[in-house]
Amino acid sequence: MSNSRSEVDPFSEIPMEFQSCEGVTQVAAESQSKTETWNVTNEPVYAEPLTPEQVRWFYRDGVDKRWVEFCGYDSLRIENAWRNYQNLLSKCDNTIQNTLPVEKIVVKGGMYDVELDKMKCVSIYCPGEEWEIMRGTWYYDGSWIPLELEQSKVIEEVHLNLFQKQPPDQFSSGCDTSSQSYKILHTEHFPEFHVDWHSINDVILYSEYRHSKLMRSVTSKLGFAKTTGYQLRRGYKVGAVMEDKPNDINHLVFVVHGIGQKRDTGKIIRNTTSFRDCVDWLKQKYFPNSNNRVEFFPVEWRSSLKLDGDIVDAITPYSVLSIRHLLNTSAMDILYYTSPLYGGEVRAGLQRELNRLYFMFASRHPGWKGKVSILAHSLGCVIVYDIVTGWMGPDTRPPSPETQEILMQRLQFPIENLFCLGSPLSVFLALRTRTPSNKTDVMPQGLCKRFYNIFHWSDPVAYRMEPLLERGYSKIEPVLIPPYGGVERQQTEQVPPPTVSSAEENFSPTENDEREEVPVDISNRAVDKGWSLWGLVRAGWNAKEGVSSPIQPGQELAQRLDYVLRASLGRNYLYTVAAHTTYWSNYDVAYFVLTKLFPTLET
């Protein structure tokens, strides 16, 4: 990790309230008691080397690039391995250091490996997903953002030289540790800042940028003793303990992408990380005492497929290469999947990746008895549905032996929930056939217990599912997903049973772009009884064309399938463009998925 950032102020990420050392409170005594010797007046006299408990390791978040601390259990194990590794390096010459075996530390509940020689945290299950890691010893007070490793290393060495206990004849009498004294004991210069030691617990960092120099000059001329700076703290605010560790995983969620992954192979990783962060934040805020743990696995199925061997790229005119490249790497996936030549290959590719991830996890967790769900987006919803139901498609050529072997195996695990985000599945089903071609082709309850079709009113790709299955539901609004945290849960659950509204009362999102709230039906939230998607689809396919009859007795769906997000931001054409990808960072969606994965949380 480099220390040079010549164009960007390295202190711009520090909140304004922490940018002055005036009035900064001292850290709690317990955070330093293990590393400092105190006198009778409760003032530290000597500093001792930091213990593993006071050091904290961090990883750089893959979405917003912020440093996030490892839990105490992981941090202690990384720190002990790091000390062993440094001890080995110190005993070897340069020619041998590069060949030293490096221990991999499994962290984050078995999801990642830490590689200390590369200072990386690497995903075990998703190749290409890796984060920087850092050893934190010195921090900005208040924000507790760690200083970079090399900077902290120098500051720590200076600090111990100044305040570590020494024999009387070697101890510098010039190091006055009185907190009342504000003379500078030592100054250490760095390219972008310098650090002044005023006492053992009064260490200030000053930026070398022009505006900081000007501020120090002005305050000095006015006679102020202290100038603007950043108070530094030694040792993390919370000591690491082995008991601070994640719970065992009891629910896996495979996250399946739609189109566009060929153009940006890391997109599904970033989207999954964003959604995981939303779920983790909600769980900590609303269910901090829950022992349930869910893990989200990004499933990247596109890059391994050869398909046409880039023939489409070869026939693309150069005159419109940029826009055609965009289409070839995104919308072309829809044509590939509907193609009688390549549809089976796409299904086999996704199915192979799902089974690979599941067996890889099972091999590392023998005897695991948790549940598995799938969270799919856009075209991914269609492919997942076809894999689960065993739909083969109108392929005109026999599949290769490898593809054939994969498509008879099907998925090697049952699905608890299938969450579809921005899904066009109902359109694909409606355009394939008017009547069932095979009445035994059923969605077995043992393979998928619940189906949720989640969409935003402004999403141009998403379609409703219920009216396809029972035409009368076209006059009944989808279930509104309440705000995260259940703010309106008690009110919404007391709404009377649904009534079919007249044509004049129906709200169409295309007829009123300014309306912000959508009246919806949220009834029929009965206890899950399982479902047969084929049995539901059959009613829709056998219905007469052009007939839009209200729900008759006996025609109600056993469970609601369509769930709509509240349109609090309004609906306009600009927002419509982005609505198809807003699910990954939407806290309402994250809360909905979390409470469906663990229904006991709602009670």
Side-chain angles (χ1 to χ4, degrees), residues 533-548:
L533 184 55
W534 186 254
L536 299 175
V537 172
R538 182 164 47 199
W541 273 329
N542 287 337
K544 295 181 179 179
E545 294 184 0
V547 177
S548 182

Side-chain angles (χ1 to χ4, degrees), residues 26-284:
Q26 303 296 329
V27 289
E30 59 267 20
S31 68
Q32 297 184 345
S33 59
K34 293 184 179 180
T35 58
E36 294 170 346
T37 302
W38 297 68
N39 61 18
V40 293
T41 60
N42 264 349
E43 294 177 347
V45 177
Y46 302 117
E48 299 176 1
L50 290 169
T51 64
E53 290 78 11
Q54 290 301 309
V55 175
R56 184 58 66 107
W57 283 81
F58 295 78
Y59 62 92
R60 194 187 292 274
D61 184 85
V63 176
D64 54 13
K65 304 302 181 184
R66 60 189 174 89
W67 288 113
V68 180
E69 71 268 20
F70 282 98
C71 67
Y73 176 77
D74 288 344
S75 184
L76 282 172
R77 291 163 55 243
I78 298 172
E79 174 64 13
N80 289 329
W82 183 85
R83 294 189 179 208
N84 292 335
Y85 182 59
Q86 295 299 312
N87 186 44
L88 286 176
L89 289 178
S90 65
K91 297 178 180 179
C92 302
D93 56 37
N94 294 335
T95 59
I96 302 179
Q97 287 181 355
N98 294 332
T99 63
L100 285 176
V102 181
E103 176 187 1
K104 289 186 177 181
I105 306 96
V106 180
V107 297
K108 295 183 70 64
M111 300 296 295
Y112 295 82
D113 281 334
V114 162
E115 300 177 356
L116 288 174
D117 56 335
K118 300 176 182 177
M119 292 297 284
K120 296 287 186 181
C121 180
V122 181
S123 173
I124 295 173
Y125 301 97
C126 186
E129 182 183 9
E130 59 180 37
W131 301 331
E132 289 181 81
I133 62 173
M134 186 172 69
R135 183 176 185 259
T137 55
W138 284 83
Y139 306 85
Y140 295 98
D141 182 56
S143 67
W144 292 98
I145 297 174
L147 274 71
E148 296 294 332
L149 178 63
E150 293 303 318
Q151 299 167 352
S152 294
K153 183 178 179 181
V154 174
I155 294 173
E156 177 70 4
E157 290 176 352
V158 172
H159 192 79
L160 289 177
N161 286 336
L162 286 173
F163 302 110
Q164 194 169 16
K165 189 173 184 179
Q166 303 175 25
D169 58 337
Q170 298 181 16
F171 187 75
S172 174
S173 61
C175 292
D176 184 358
T177 60
S178 171
S179 60
Q180 302 299 321
S181 173
Y182 204 67
K183 66 180 180 180
I184 298 176
L185 304 179
H186 179 82
T187 298
E188 190 71 22
H189 291 276
F190 297 86
E192 298 164 339
F193 60 86
H194 73 269
V195 178
D196 288 345
W197 276 261
H198 301 284
S199 70
I200 192 171
N201 61 346
D202 193 0
V203 183
I204 310 294
L205 180 149
Y206 298 99
S207 172
E208 296 293 353
Y209 281 79
R210 184 170 302 172
H211 67 274
S212 299
K213 291 181 179 179
L214 177 62
M215 179 60 69
R216 290 200 302 274
S217 175
V218 171
T219 55
S220 177
K221 291 180 180 180
L222 293 176
F224 291 107
K226 290 187 179 182
T227 58
T228 303
Y230 305 91
Q231 185 86 40
L232 299 183
R233 295 302 179 193
R234 179 175 181 253
Y236 197 52
K237 58 181 177 180
V238 179
V241 293
M242 294 296 287
E243 291 74 18
D244 176 24
K245 60 185 301 186
N247 297 316
D248 293 334
I249 300 171
N250 52 6
H251 210 128
L252 299 181
V253 177
F254 293 122
V255 183
V256 180
H257 66 80
I259 66 173
Q261 190 69 19
K262 182 180 179 182
R263 185 168 180 261
D264 185 359
T265 56
K267 185 177 182 180
I268 185 59
I269 294 177
R270 296 193 301 273
N271 289 340
T272 303
T273 299
S274 179
F275 195 81
R276 182 191 298 123
D277 289 345
C278 290
V279 170
D280 288 345
W281 183 86
L282 291 166
K283 186 175 182 295
Q284 292 174 11

Side-chain angles (χ1 to χ4, degrees), residues 343-363:
E345 188 175 343
V346 173
R347 288 190 295 276
L350 174 56
Q351 181 174 297
R352 178 172 54 245
E353 184 64 10
L354 286 169
N355 285 334
R356 183 190 73 84
L357 289 171
Y358 177 76
F359 284 125
M360 188 176 181
F361 177 84
S363 66

Side-chain angles (χ1 to χ4, degrees), residues 297-310:
F297 286 66
V299 183
E300 201 284 289
W301 53 266
R302 182 62 179 84
S303 63
S304 62
L305 302 179
K306 302 300 182 182
L307 300 177
D308 64 5
D310 297 328

